[in-house]
Amino acid sequence: MKAVNAEATSEEILARVLSSLEDDKAEDIVTIDLRGRSSIGDYMVICSGRSSRQVGAIAEKLTERLKEEFGRICKVEGKDQGDWVLIDSSDVIVHVFRPEVREFYQLEKMWMPAGAPV
């Protein structure tokens, strides 16, 4: 069993989030730096899964990995529907969407700095 790193920095959590998403074949992964812009967290990550089943699986594996490796109990919303799952690790907020739902809400446009390519 791995040692739990309870004092992980937001950058360490972000790195693990990104590797977990890549391991589970999440698509179109976007990271938004929120430091100094919002108190909800340091980073926001937005990605897509190809189906409701994949969206749910990506979210489930991510929360398991963060709990196992960092002792983080994440708040999760929307996993039962599988259209849009929000995972809140406190430092890093992750949104996993089905592509059509992501296109509809366009969170990137809302949160990206002005002039940044979307």
Side-chain angles (χ1 to χ4, degrees), residues 41-91:
D42 290 340
Y43 297 97
M44 180 182 295
V45 178
I46 302 171
C47 67
S48 298
R50 291 181 300 281
S51 66
S52 296
R53 174 177 268 164
Q54 186 189 23
V55 166
I58 288 169
E60 192 168 317
K61 293 297 269 177
L62 176 60
T63 56
E64 287 171 8
R65 289 170 178 144
L66 293 177
K67 181 179 180 183
E68 181 180 301
E69 295 175 33
F70 300 107
R72 292 284 170 118
I73 306 297
C74 299
K75 296 179 194 112
V76 179
E77 293 182 30
K79 196 168 122 240
D80 293 337
Q81 293 79 23
D83 288 333
W84 173 6
V85 181
L86 168 72
I87 301 124
D88 182 353
S89 75
S90 73
D91 294 328

